[in-house]
Amino acid sequence: MTASVLQLIGVRKRFVDTEVLRGIDLAVDRHEVVALIGSSGSGKSTLLRTVNLLERIDDGQILLGGEDISDPRVDADRVRARVGVVFQHYNLFPHLSVLDNVTLASRRVHRIPRAQAEETGRRLLNDIGLGDKAKEFPDRLSGGQQQRAAIVRAIATNPELLLLDEVTSALDPELVGEVLELVQQLKASGTTIVMATHEMAFARDVADRVVFLDGGVIAEQGPPEQLFEDPREPRTRAFLSRFSGWVS
Ligand code: ADP
Ligand code: MG
């Protein structure tokens, strides 16, 4: 028995001639928020995609709630129904209203009656101040509103785990705060989150643990205070020095 929601054991992933993940060991506890940081190309998105079975791993194991989801015989749709995901771009279906986006998985995958799914969807949208946008199409919303709706869609089915991949990096700076605030609220309500981010201040404020990926391995990890204030590895220090004011 494991208390971990998610466990990666010796995970390796290769694309043609490059090994992008070179033996990742990572366990995420229930209610924990883990921030993945690292240079562009360090494998953050690939790691998140392997958990959602968008990429199949070459070696190692991935356990979700103790179940080996990296077993090729596992039904990927069934796994995806247990994991919420939000990417950087294009999360909402443009031809569906915001409410239909938010309720789609509940209705189609979890077979919840429309009226009940819509009641939950409206409540979630109201909670984040988007109740009046329920019937709008996504292109009528700002980028920040769209990402917030995408996050609400990802949690509408009560997933065991929420994966966020650079959810603010396509946004205008003035829209970043409202999305980060929503992530902060989800953390407060106990959502288990693994998020790749370039927002170091946010990672420091919200994450329970920060994981620094470099060259396909976890170069260093720890509580944000330690990793940001007193990194042990020279390469962590070098990475953080690119974000001005982080390490002296
Ligand atoms: P990050 O999210 O940290 O920027 P990625 O996981 O997107 O990094 O990418 C890690 C490396 O894997 C990069 O070198 C990228 O070019 C490569 N890569 C990612 N996806 C593919 C793919 N589908 N085919 C080939 N190479 C890929
Ligand atoms: Mg990425």
Side-chain angles (χ1 to χ4, degrees):
M1 258 316 278
T2 165
S4 299
V5 173
L6 176 69
Q7 207 174 348
L8 279 71
I9 306 164
V11 167
R12 292 181 174 270
K13 175 66 189 177
R14 160 181 295 280
F15 290 115
V16 197
D17 54 353
T18 5
E19 197 171 36
V20 175
L21 303 177
R22 296 192 297 128
I24 301 283
D25 294 301
L26 180 68
V28 179
D29 288 340
R30 196 163 304 286
H31 309 307
E32 195 179 17
V33 175
V34 171
L36 299 177
I37 62 169
S39 311
S40 183
S42 61
K44 303 180 297 295
S45 296
T46 303
L47 192 158
L48 294 175
R49 290 167 58 84
T50 63
V51 173
N52 201 33
L53 305 185
L54 292 167
E55 303 288 354
R56 287 292 181 172
I57 59 177
D58 298 316
D59 199 9
Q61 269 190 325
I62 302 178
L63 309 183
L64 180 67
E67 180 192 351
D68 181 1
I69 59 166
S70 51
D71 184 323
R73 291 167 298 188
V74 163
D75 175 6
D77 288 335
R78 195 174 57 75
V79 170
R80 290 184 195 129
R82 298 164 57 193
V83 180
V85 191
V86 184
F87 300 107
Q88 186 175 341
H89 292 292
Y90 312 121
N91 284 293
L92 298 174
F93 296 113
H95 60 291
L96 295 179
S97 71
V98 170
L99 185 62
D100 284 346
N101 265 282
V102 168
T103 60
L104 187 67
S106 303
R107 293 185 282 114
R108 295 279 172 81
V109 182
H110 298 265
R111 302 279 166 205
I112 294 173
R114 179 180 280 270
Q116 189 186 334
E118 293 197 345
E119 191 184 318
T120 306
R122 284 186 186 279
R123 179 174 50 74
L124 290 169
L125 288 168
N126 278 330
D127 286 350
I128 61 163
L130 291 181
D132 61 334
K133 305 291 185 194
K135 287 296 181 187
E136 300 278 11
F137 286 97
D139 65 358
R140 301 294 301 272
L141 274 62
S142 72
Q145 290 172 332
Q146 288 186 37
Q147 278 305 56
R148 283 155 58 213
I151 292 170
V152 160
R153 182 178 66 175
I155 56 147
T157 54
N158 276 320
E160 290 158 59
L161 175 66
L162 178 63
L163 306 176
L164 303 176
D165 193 359
E166 307 277 3
V167 291
T168 59
S169 50
L171 298 178
D172 293 334
E174 72 272 20
L175 302 177
V176 167
E178 65 193 60
V179 175
L180 297 185
E181 193 178 316
L182 175 56
V183 177
Q184 192 80 260
Q185 284 167 21
L186 295 180
K187 176 198 166 82
S189 68
T191 311
T192 308
I193 302 175
V194 181
M195 57 177 198
T197 187
H198 279 121
E199 301 278 344
M200 296 300 139
F202 182 65
R204 184 190 55 189
D205 292 347
V206 80
D208 299 303
R209 184 151 48 106
V210 180
V211 170
F212 171 54
L213 278 183
D214 188 48
V217 297
I218 295 178
E220 180 166 358
Q221 62 176 307
E225 322 67 85
Q226 184 264 310
L227 194 123
F228 288 121
E229 314 297 334
D230 186 23
R232 298 201 177 97
E233 298 289 328
R235 49 187 169 161
T236 314
R237 195 168 282 274
F239 170 74
L240 292 174
S241 68
R242 287 192 244 146
F243 298 86
S244 59
W246 281 98
V247 219
S248 44

